[in-house]
Amino acid sequence: ALLEAPMPNLPPLAEARAAPPSPAPAADHASQSLAQTLQRRLERVWQVLEMPVMHKLDMVIKYTSRDMSPLLEAALEAWEDAAASVLAHRAALAALEARQSASEATAADVDAAFEEIQRTTMFVIRADGRLRSEFGDVLTFQGEAFAEKHVSAE
């Protein structure tokens, strides 16, 4: 049942994924717009995941290689989904902490927070699995494998 629940909407990443507002008439301008859009999306993922410079460089080198460049857009979409799952998971943890420290919190409130953590944990695991299986990437947060450090520790 947890896997069937929809992923919460996280506008900042979804907005970054949107195409440029107006297509350019010239091919050079259009490819520049696409490149800028991809760059903005990539930078947003890096920001959300607090990715260290060396990890960013590794990603750029990987996805600008001849073999991997055709996969850039699909990989970026997977990374955006992964970043959204990390944001949702971190928000669920913060909500649990807030409920536990609130004097008027009920057992039902805390149970609901735990259920949300379980649900977002499944999204993180699924996103990490997709990155690993489809692209050979590992979901990281602050430079460390997210699933191993943050999900298994809970």
Side-chain angles (χ1 to χ4, degrees):
L2 289 175
L3 290 176
E4 295 168 4
M7 182 65 195
N9 290 335
L10 297 165
L13 291 172
E15 289 169 4
R17 195 182 292 170
S22 59
D28 285 346
H29 193 275
S31 65
Q32 239 180 7
S33 292
L34 175 61
Q36 289 171 342
T37 299
L38 291 173
Q39 181 179 349
R40 277 193 306 274
R41 290 171 58 194
L42 191 54
E43 287 174 356
R44 176 69 176 137
V45 167
W46 292 343
Q47 175 190 21
V48 167
L49 296 176
E50 300 179 26
M51 198 172 284
V53 172
M54 292 309 292
H55 287 203
K56 294 176 190 179
L57 290 172
D58 289 342
M59 186 180 260
V60 168
I61 290 168
K62 177 179 181 173
Y63 287 104
T64 57
S65 72
R66 185 184 316 259
D67 293 340
M68 295 300 289
S69 63
L71 301 177
L72 174 61
E73 288 189 69
L76 184 52
E77 185 172 318
W79 274 101
E80 287 169 329
D81 291 343
S85 71
V86 168
L87 280 178
H89 187 69
R90 290 176 49 79
L93 288 172
L96 174 62
E97 287 178 19
R99 287 179 178 163
Q100 286 178 326
S101 64
S103 59
E104 68 278 352
T106 65
D109 291 337
V110 174
D111 286 345
F114 273 116
E115 286 178 20
E116 183 63 12
I117 289 171
Q118 288 179 318
R119 193 171 78 81
T120 60
T121 297
M122 295 309 299
F123 289 123
V124 169
I125 291 168
R126 189 181 326 153
D128 185 49
R130 179 179 178 204
L131 286 171
R132 288 173 190 260
S133 66
E134 292 181 27
F135 307 103
D137 293 336
V138 176
L139 175 58
T140 62
F141 180 73
Q142 297 176 336
E144 297 182 356
F146 189 83
E148 285 83 12
K149 176 151 181 146
H150 300 277
V151 173
S152 60
E154 293 162 13

